[in-house]
Amino acid sequence: MKKKLLKYEPLYILISYAILALLMYWTIRADFVWYGDDTYYHFLRIIGLSDNFKHGLLQSGVSTSFFGKIGYGQYIFYPWITLIPFSFFKLLTASWIQAYYLGLMFYFFVSFLISHYVMKKFSNSTFQAVIFAVVYNFSTYRLIDFFSRAAIGEYLATIFLPLCFLGFYELFFGDNKNWKILAIGMSLIIFSHILTTFMCLLIFVLILIIFSPKVKLSKNRLLDFGKAVGTTILATLIFTVPFIIEEFSQDYGIPGQQALKGKSLLSLITSSFLNTSGRSFEGHIYNIGLILILALLLGIIIFKKFDFTTKAIFTLAILTFIMSSSFFPWKFLQNTPIGVIQFPFRNLIFATLFSSIIAAKSLSILIKNNHFSITIAVISVTLISGSLWYSSFNKSLVNSFISQDNLVITEKMVNRHNIPENYLDQYIPKKVQKYLPEIKQHLGYINGKKFLQIPGIRNSTNYFELANIKKGDVVDLPYVRYRFTKIRLNGSVEDLLPSKRGTVRFVAPTDFNKLKIQINYDVPAFQLIFVISLLAWLFLII
């Protein structure tokens, strides 16, 4: 009987994770999209990406349908690859709102699988793998990430975070032959959220400094490190080539720059015990939740029973938790490149990861190694974690803007294309900022004379139509110009002029009774870049 159970254990675990993902989906699903901090922004990213694909734009640099229809470079600077599954689910349902929730359910399931795989490989224990997967996926901060904050990019990055850190551990402290795990994990994070990528690199450096005596360095490890870096670069070219070139082509400000200031450590601890997941704008403090704060307390009690690796992970959990608060001297880093992280509470993604490992490790020490004890522990942890997650979700809805009728996204808003468009000041060149108000109003110029026109969409491009244009006329369109912005005048490619507004500007090469100006974002040799990235992925997963 025991052998039969072990034989089908992977199937039981797979079905269990599918059920948990389905229950999470049923909990959050509604006929509207809840109003989190960045709900409008990310929902429009998802819809806009699908529109770009529908119009034939594989290289989705600018948003043709949304974000003001000003040629906004949303998909140049914010990764879009991991948004594709949402577009797939739109093919299965007539509703973008339901496609959104189905996409989240898909990623809930993927996250369970990745979490289990990582912990199983790290600990060689199915028990620890299940506990980690359950605790990590029902963690309060990850609920906050996709729900209260609606920071979909960061949430997607947290799915691949365990994979990335397992690869890093294997490369520098374990079996360096598993270097591909780091490349896959880091590539998927790059495809999800650039800021999390940067923060991962900072944590990696911190780990190497703190635990330098334990780092295993050899010629082979350095070679494998080079392989990991090289394949990550190749696998992500489809996004990083336009991103990097554009970053160095013009001056850009720091998106949403904020003063680096965390909440007090005491309030962070208190909120974790309260297991709150409400929005910070409504007075709540983002936290790691009750399960993980208890895991840290338990870790303190049984610290001596941990092996060195677990002690190191516990140290990192405490450190990143403290770094999420005002106890850490963030003011000294305000004017450094680290200031780009905007909010110290972002470090809670790492505190959540490390604390979840501690929860699994601690229970493996305390629970007797027999089938009955392990089964009871798994069921108990799942029920408690799931119940706390469910309770926190529902409490955050009470008297909150999250569920306010005039703020949530409805089907009517989607169908009428009247979802509020925000953050248009991000991801545009600095020189555009001054003129953004008139560009958003679609104000253009012909020889200095004003005209108004909203661009249309046809044949994968935005377009403008003008009449009675004379040779030598200078036309300045209300459309942001990037390094790879191209124009066609009645089908013929034309060069662009510099513009003080940072917009598309050109001189008419001849007279036009009717002029159709097609504008698109065209990265040279994009097909070659796509093939190289595809081959790199085939190499990594085979």
Side-chain angles (χ1 to χ4, degrees):
M1 182 66 179
K2 187 176 180 180
K3 288 183 178 179
K4 191 173 182 180
L5 286 173
L6 289 174
K7 179 181 178 180
Y8 292 105
E9 184 181 77
L11 179 61
Y12 297 148
I13 292 172
L14 190 69
I15 293 173
S16 297
Y17 288 153
I19 292 172
L20 290 175
L22 186 61
L23 290 172
M24 294 170 76
Y25 162 75
W26 278 338
T27 299
I28 67 169
R29 185 173 66 95
D31 57 3
F32 53 83
V33 177
W34 305 101
Y35 177 66
D37 295 349
D38 293 337
T39 296
Y40 299 151
Y41 184 72
H42 288 288
F43 195 78
L44 284 176
R45 288 181 63 222
I46 292 169
I47 299 178
L49 179 66
S50 182
D51 272 9
N52 278 16
F53 286 161
K54 183 171 64 178
H55 293 301
L57 291 176
L58 176 61
Q59 48 175 319
S60 294
V62 301
S63 176
T64 57
S65 305
F66 298 101
F67 296 103
K69 287 188 178 180
I70 60 171
Y72 183 69
Q74 162 60 232
Y75 306 108
I76 300 172
F77 299 99
Y78 210 123
W80 50 273
I81 307 297
T82 49
L83 296 182
I84 293 176
F86 293 94
S87 298
F88 170 76
F89 285 108
K90 178 59 171 65
L91 300 176
L92 305 179
T93 175
S95 166
W96 258 118
I97 289 176
Q98 294 313 311
Y100 175 77
Y101 286 119
L102 287 170
L104 286 177
M105 182 179 71
F106 166 76
Y107 274 119
F108 292 157
F109 182 58
V110 169
S111 186
F112 274 113
L113 296 182
I114 290 177
S115 302
H116 183 97
Y117 165 79
V118 167
M119 197 61 184
K120 173 70 174 179
K121 193 167 185 63
F122 179 68
S123 65
N124 197 32
S125 165
T126 299
F127 172 66
Q128 291 185 43
V130 173
I131 295 299
F132 172 75
V134 168
V135 171
Y136 186 63
N137 284 282
F138 282 125
S139 61
T140 301
Y141 185 70
R142 295 192 70 216
L143 168 62
I144 289 168
D145 236 1
F146 79 80
F147 177 57
S148 307
R149 293 191 63 223
I152 299 302
E154 183 173 293
Y155 175 76
L156 294 177
T158 64
I159 295 172
F160 312 115
L161 206 60
L163 205 59
C164 189
F165 274 82
L166 173 64
F168 175 79
Y169 170 81
E170 294 282 25
L171 186 57
F172 290 101
F173 303 93
D175 185 358
N176 56 291
K177 292 179 182 178
N178 293 317
W179 61 267
K180 284 186 178 181
I181 297 174
L182 174 59
I184 292 171
M186 185 59 79
S187 295
L188 289 170
I189 290 176
I190 290 172
F191 279 162
S192 303
H193 198 233
I194 290 298
L195 198 51
T196 300
T197 305
F198 175 65
M199 293 178 69
C200 277
L201 295 177
L202 293 177
I203 296 295
F204 286 165
V205 171
L206 186 64
I207 292 172
L208 290 175
I209 292 173
I210 295 175
F211 303 107
S212 57
K214 294 291 183 177
V215 175
K216 298 177 181 178
L217 286 180
S218 66
K219 183 179 178 180
N220 285 338
R221 285 184 185 275
L222 291 175
L223 183 62
D224 288 336
F225 173 69
K227 292 177 184 177
V229 172
T231 50
T232 299
I233 291 172
L234 294 176
T236 57
L237 286 178
I238 190 175
F239 170 73
T240 57
V241 166
F243 172 77
I244 293 172
I245 291 177
E246 292 290 357
E247 278 284 355
F248 285 97
S249 296
Q250 301 186 68
D251 290 331
Y252 294 88
I254 297 175
Q257 190 170 12
Q258 304 282 334
L260 274 180
K261 186 178 181 181
K263 301 295 184 180
S264 73
L265 183 58
L266 179 60
S267 64
L268 182 57
I269 293 171
T270 302
S271 294
S272 295
F273 275 108
L274 293 174
N275 207 53
T276 60
S277 59
R279 299 175 69 219
S280 65
F281 288 110
E282 298 176 42
H284 295 280
I285 296 173
Y286 298 145
N287 60 89
I288 61 172
L290 179 59
I291 291 289
L292 295 184
I293 197 69
L294 290 177
L296 292 181
L297 290 176
L298 181 59
I300 293 173
I301 296 170
I302 64 172
F303 184 79
K304 291 183 179 179
K305 295 184 179 182
F306 290 154
D307 58 25
F308 176 81
T309 301
T310 307
K311 288 179 179 177
I313 294 171
F314 179 80
T315 302
L316 291 170
I318 295 294
L319 180 60
T320 50
F321 183 72
I322 291 172
M323 287 170 62
S324 304
S325 72
S326 59
F327 189 82
F328 189 83
W330 285 109
K331 62 181 180 180
F332 297 112
L333 300 174
Q334 178 68 59
N335 297 318
T336 70
I338 294 175
V340 75
I341 72 169
Q342 301 171 309
F343 310 109
F345 65 69
R346 289 187 191 273
N347 286 289
L348 291 173
I349 63 173
F350 304 112
T352 295
L353 173 65
F354 298 136
S355 300
S356 297
I357 297 173
I358 294 303
K361 288 289 184 181
S362 297
L363 286 179
S364 70
I365 291 173
L366 297 176
I367 301 299
K368 292 181 179 179
N369 190 21
N370 61 68
H371 181 73
F372 179 77
S373 298
I374 288 174
T375 302
I376 294 299
V378 168
I379 293 174
S380 299
V381 169
T382 303
L383 289 175
I384 294 171
S385 297
S387 297
L388 286 170
W389 185 90
Y390 178 83
S391 173
S392 186
F393 171 83
N394 281 287
K395 283 193 297 184
S396 67
L397 299 178
V398 179
N399 299 320
S400 170
F401 289 124
I402 291 176
S403 55
Q404 194 164 303
D405 290 343
N406 65 327
L407 293 174
V408 299
I409 298 177
T410 63
E411 290 285 3
K412 183 184 290 186
M413 292 171 66
V414 176
N415 294 334
R416 293 183 177 180
H417 282 205
N418 64 351
I419 299 171
E421 298 175 328
N422 47 17
Y423 302 131
L424 290 183
D425 57 332
Q426 299 182 7
Y427 308 130
I428 59 174
K430 278 186 176 180
K431 63 182 178 181
V432 177
Q433 301 284 347
K434 178 181 177 181
Y435 302 96
L436 185 59
E438 68 176 30
I439 294 171
K440 287 162 61 177
Q441 294 173 16
H442 306 287
L443 181 64
Y445 295 90
I446 299 175
N447 297 327
K449 295 182 180 180
K450 299 177 181 179
F451 73 94
L452 293 173
Q453 188 172 149
I454 300 173
I457 307 171
R458 189 180 300 161
N459 298 328
S460 308
T461 62
N462 282 126
Y463 70 90
F464 292 84
E465 291 182 330
L466 302 175
N468 300 318
I469 299 298
K470 304 299 182 183
K471 180 179 180 179
D473 282 353
V474 179
V475 180
D476 191 330
L477 300 173
Y479 204 90
V480 179
R481 179 188 177 181
Y482 295 98
R483 172 67 177 80
F484 295 127
T485 300
K486 310 291 183 184
I487 65 166
R488 290 178 179 271
L489 307 183
N490 287 351
S492 298
V493 177
E494 188 61 41
D495 293 332
L496 292 172
L497 294 176
S499 165
K500 69 177 183 180
R501 298 200 305 167
T503 48
V504 170
R505 182 169 176 263
F506 65 92
V507 173
T510 187
D511 293 345
F512 295 99
N513 290 327
K514 292 183 178 180
L515 174 61
K516 182 177 181 179
I517 308 155
Q518 294 174 294
I519 310 176
N520 67 326
Y521 186 81
D522 187 16
V523 179
F526 182 80
Q527 288 76 13
L528 176 61
I529 293 169
F530 177 80
V531 170
I532 292 173
S533 289
L534 184 62
L535 291 174
W537 275 104
L538 290 174
F539 172 73
L540 285 172
I541 62 180
I542 293 177

